[in-house]
Coordinates of all heavy atoms in Angstrom, one line a residue:
I1 N -42.9 -128.2 188.4 CA -43.8 -129.1 187.9 C -44.6 -128.5 186.7 O -44.7 -129.1 185.6 CB -44.8 -129.6 189.0 CG1 -44.1 -130.5 190.0 CG2 -46.0 -130.3 188.4 CD1 -44.9 -130.9 191.2
R2 N -45.1 -127.3 186.9 CA -45.9 -126.6 185.8 C -45.1 -126.4 184.6 O -45.5 -126.7 183.5 CB -46.4 -125.3 186.3 CG -47.4 -124.7 185.4 CD -47.8 -123.3 185.8 NE -46.8 -122.3 185.8 CZ -46.3 -121.7 184.6 NH1 -46.8 -122.1 183.5 NH2 -45.3 -120.8 184.7
K3 N -43.8 -126.0 184.7 CA -43.0 -125.7 183.6 C -42.6 -126.9 182.8 O -42.4 -126.9 181.6 CB -41.8 -124.8 184.0 CG -42.2 -123.4 184.3 CD -41.1 -122.5 184.9 CE -41.6 -121.1 185.1 NZ -40.6 -120.3 185.8
A4 N -42.4 -128.0 183.6 CA -42.1 -129.3 182.9 C -43.3 -129.7 182.0 O -43.1 -130.2 180.9 CB -41.8 -130.4 184.0
L5 N -44.5 -129.5 182.5 CA -45.7 -129.8 181.8 C -45.8 -128.9 180.5 O -46.1 -129.4 179.4 CB -47.0 -129.7 182.6 CG -47.1 -130.7 183.8 CD1 -48.3 -130.3 184.7 CD2 -47.3 -132.1 183.3
E6 N -45.5 -127.6 180.8 CA -45.6 -126.7 179.7 C -44.6 -127.0 178.6 O -44.9 -127.0 177.4 CB -45.4 -125.3 180.2 CG -45.4 -124.2 179.1 CD -45.0 -122.8 179.7 OE1 -44.4 -122.7 180.8 OE2 -45.2 -121.8 178.9
K7 N -43.4 -127.3 179.0 CA -42.4 -127.7 178.0 C -42.7 -128.9 177.2 O -42.5 -128.9 176.0 CB -41.0 -127.9 178.8 CG -39.8 -128.2 177.8 CD -38.6 -128.4 178.7 CE -37.4 -128.7 177.8 NZ -36.1 -128.9 178.6
H8 N -43.3 -129.9 177.8 CA -43.6 -131.1 177.1 C -44.9 -131.0 176.3 O -45.0 -131.5 175.1 CB -43.8 -132.3 178.1 CG -44.0 -133.6 177.4 ND1 -42.9 -134.4 177.0 CD2 -45.1 -134.3 177.1 CE1 -43.4 -135.5 176.4 NE2 -44.7 -135.5 176.5
Y9 N -45.9 -130.4 176.8 CA -47.3 -130.4 176.1 C -47.5 -129.1 175.3 O -48.5 -129.1 174.6 CB -48.4 -130.6 177.2 CG -48.3 -132.0 177.8 CD1 -47.8 -132.2 179.1 CD2 -48.6 -133.1 177.0 CE1 -47.7 -133.4 179.6 CE2 -48.5 -134.4 177.6 CZ -48.1 -134.5 178.9 OH -48.0 -135.8 179.4
G10 N -46.7 -128.1 175.4 CA -46.8 -126.9 174.6 C -48.1 -126.3 174.7 O -48.5 -125.9 175.8
D11 N -48.8 -126.2 173.5 CA -50.1 -125.4 173.5 C -51.3 -126.3 174.0 O -52.4 -125.8 173.9 CB -50.4 -124.8 172.2 CG -50.5 -125.9 171.1 OD1 -50.4 -127.1 171.4 OD2 -50.7 -125.5 169.9
K12 N -51.0 -127.5 174.5 CA -52.1 -128.3 175.1 C -52.2 -128.1 176.6 O -51.3 -128.5 177.3 CB -51.9 -129.8 174.8 CG -51.9 -130.2 173.4 CD -51.5 -131.7 173.3 CE -51.4 -132.1 171.8 NZ -50.8 -133.5 171.8
P13 N -53.2 -127.3 177.1 CA -53.2 -127.0 178.5 C -53.4 -128.3 179.4 O -54.4 -129.0 179.2 CB -54.3 -126.0 178.6 CG -54.7 -125.6 177.2 CD -54.3 -126.8 176.4
V14 N -52.6 -128.5 180.3 CA -52.7 -129.5 181.3 C -52.9 -128.9 182.7 O -52.1 -128.0 183.1 CB -51.5 -130.5 181.3 CG1 -51.6 -131.5 182.4 CG2 -51.3 -131.1 180.0
G15 N -53.9 -129.3 183.4 CA -54.2 -128.8 184.8 C -54.0 -129.8 185.8 O -54.3 -131.0 185.5
M16 N -53.5 -129.5 186.9 CA -53.3 -130.5 188.0 C -53.6 -129.8 189.4 O -53.4 -128.6 189.6 CB -51.9 -131.1 188.1 CG -51.6 -132.0 186.9 SD -50.5 -133.3 187.3 CE -49.1 -132.5 187.9
G17 N -54.0 -130.6 190.3 CA -54.2 -130.2 191.7 C -53.9 -131.4 192.6 O -53.7 -132.5 192.2
G18 N -54.0 -131.1 193.9 CA -53.8 -132.1 194.9 C -53.3 -131.6 196.2 O -53.7 -130.5 196.6
T19 N -52.3 -132.2 196.7 CA -51.7 -131.8 198.0 C -50.2 -132.2 198.1 O -49.9 -133.3 197.5 CB -52.5 -132.3 199.2 OG1 -51.9 -131.8 200.4 CG2 -52.5 -133.8 199.3
F20 N -49.4 -131.4 198.7 CA -48.0 -131.9 199.0 C -47.6 -131.4 200.3 O -48.2 -130.5 200.9 CB -47.0 -131.4 197.9 CG -46.7 -129.9 197.9 CD1 -45.7 -129.4 198.6 CD2 -47.4 -129.1 197.0 CE1 -45.4 -128.1 198.6 CE2 -47.1 -127.7 197.0 CZ -46.1 -127.2 197.8
V21 N -46.7 -132.1 200.9 CA -46.1 -131.8 202.2 C -44.7 -131.4 202.0 O -43.9 -132.1 201.4 CB -46.2 -132.9 203.2 CG1 -45.7 -132.5 204.6 CG2 -47.7 -133.4 203.3
M22 N -44.3 -130.2 202.5 CA -42.9 -129.8 202.6 C -42.5 -130.4 203.9 O -42.9 -129.9 205.0 CB -42.7 -128.3 202.6 CG -41.3 -127.9 202.3 SD -41.0 -126.2 202.3 CE -40.4 -126.0 204.0
Q23 N -41.8 -131.5 203.9 CA -41.5 -132.3 205.1 C -40.4 -131.8 205.9 O -40.3 -132.0 207.1 CB -41.2 -133.8 204.7 CG -42.4 -134.5 204.0 CD -42.1 -135.9 203.5 OE1 -41.2 -136.1 202.8 NE2 -42.9 -136.8 204.0
K24 N -39.4 -131.2 205.2 CA -38.2 -130.7 206.0 C -37.9 -129.3 205.4 O -38.1 -129.1 204.2 CB -37.0 -131.6 205.9 CG -37.2 -132.9 206.6 CD -35.9 -133.8 206.5 CE -36.1 -135.1 207.3 NZ -34.9 -136.0 207.2
G25 N -37.3 -128.5 206.2 CA -36.8 -127.2 205.8 C -37.7 -126.0 206.2 O -38.6 -126.2 207.0
K26 N -37.5 -124.9 205.6 CA -38.2 -123.7 205.8 C -38.7 -123.1 204.5 O -38.1 -123.4 203.5 CB -37.4 -122.7 206.6 CG -37.1 -123.2 208.1 CD -36.2 -122.2 208.8 CE -35.9 -122.7 210.2 NZ -35.1 -121.7 211.0
A27 N -39.7 -122.3 204.6 CA -40.3 -121.7 203.3 C -40.6 -120.2 203.5 O -40.8 -119.7 204.6 CB -41.6 -122.4 203.0
K28 N -40.5 -119.5 202.3 CA -40.9 -118.1 202.3 C -42.4 -118.1 202.0 O -42.9 -118.6 201.0 CB -40.2 -117.4 201.1 CG -40.6 -116.0 200.9 CD -39.9 -115.4 199.7 CE -40.3 -113.9 199.4 NZ -39.7 -113.4 198.2
I29 N -43.2 -117.5 203.0 CA -44.6 -117.5 202.9 C -45.1 -116.0 203.2 O -44.5 -115.3 204.0 CB -45.2 -118.3 204.1 CG1 -44.6 -119.7 204.1 CG2 -46.7 -118.4 204.1 CD1 -45.1 -120.7 203.0
H30 N -46.2 -115.6 202.4 CA -46.7 -114.3 202.8 C -48.1 -114.5 203.4 O -48.8 -115.4 203.1 CB -46.7 -113.4 201.6 CG -47.9 -113.5 200.6 ND1 -47.7 -113.7 199.3 CD2 -49.2 -113.4 200.8 CE1 -48.9 -113.7 198.7 NE2 -49.8 -113.6 199.6

């Protein structure tokens, strides 16, 4: 998501936040 924003908006900083659910699968967590 971040790199898609960076690629499109270039030197215009876009910030985002919120929440997401990893609904299925497993994740690498530290």
Side-chain angles (χ1 to χ4, degrees):
I1 288 173
R2 187 185 69 74
K3 287 174 180 175
L5 294 171
E6 179 186 15
K7 184 178 177 183
H8 186 83
Y9 293 106
D11 61 1
K12 297 177 184 171
V14 175
M16 292 210 306
T19 183
F20 70 88
V21 182
M22 195 181 97
Q23 297 177 304
K24 290 184 180 177
K26 294 179 180 177
K28 178 184 178 183
I29 307 287
H30 84 234

